[in-house]
Amino acid sequence: MTVLPHTTDALHRISDAVDGLLRADRELNLADPAAHMQVGGRLHALGVQIHGGVLAGIPEEDIAAIVQPARSACARSPFMRDENEWARGYPSDFRLVEHVLSKANKATPNTLGWHVETHLQGVAITHQLRNRVMHQTRLIGDTLTAQRNGPRSVLVIAAGTAPDLRQIPPGIVRPGDRFVLTDVDPDALELAQQRLGPLNEFTTAVSGNVFRAIPKLAELGPYDLVLVNGLYEYLNDRAAARLTEAVLTRLCRPGGLFHFSTLTGGNPFRWTLEYLMEWQVIERDEAAVRALLPGCDVSVGFDQTGLALLAHVRTR
């Protein structure tokens, strides 16, 4: 490990925070359900010190080596174990999303893993994911119930298991309405179809890389509403601009609505995500989002946590 003189204090602070989390097994009464707040405090303290190490210029591999014991301890939580293992082979896979939406805690009670799980299921980083799904459900509902002259068509990109569409009451869907789901993971789309119930009759699934799927998606369009939840967090600026242009010029009908959401800058959970879960995302603030949409009629807001930026574009 390479240690420069000015980073020594930062390294010690990270190490102390790791030790503080590991001592929770001995120092806290883990039989007390409220202990998750103390465990959460120690997790937060570790994230703060990791950030301090990054600012001090400590190499990424050195920070990773120091926090490895904490990462192993946190893996007793199914939430963090799933993120570490990435069972589907890519970040934020549909099983993790379903786990967060269910608010489940499948860890062994009275253990550090149980308290880590309880803490993570109750903090802003998981609330924002649920909020984004609920927001998309509202947009779908608004599209279906607004005054109209004909059938409505909705496209959901990076749909996963379609938790947003699954919340739509079948009674507001009219003959001729169409939902198109696309995702890189065919198993996610298969599970979506299993859970959509009566809405399956109105739904078409297109699996594969979204850029290669655009011609097929365009054939099934155009769309009154196009939704993208989370994918922008894994696209560099060039890819994000390419997807945005395709949605606006090839997929949305004139007067249609394009919505996407992304984590914004200043995310306090960033360093915990990166170093304890290997979950790296591209954050974008309002200026970065607007730069993807030059000359467009853009409305930008945030979810209740302030962590998720919600962008809405009305096509001309």
Side-chain angles (χ1 to χ4, degrees), residues 7 14 20 30-31 35 49 55 57 66-67 92 109 124 137 155 175 200 215-216 218 246 275 286 290 292 302:
T7 65
I14 296 172
L30 298 184
Q49 297 308 327
L55 293 177
I66 295 173
V67 304
S92 192
T137 297
L155 169 63
N200 252 326
K216 177 64 174 178
Y275 285 92
E286 181 174 346
R290 289 187 181 278
L292 296 172
F302 297 88

Side-chain angles (χ1 to χ4, degrees), residues 11 21 31 37 55 82 84 110 139 147 156 188 192 219 285 314:
L11 285 167
L21 180 62
M37 293 183 288
L55 293 177
D82 287 347
N84 277 320
N110 306 331
L139 292 177
Q147 185 176 0
V156 186
E219 289 178 9
D285 59 14
R314 184 68 67 178

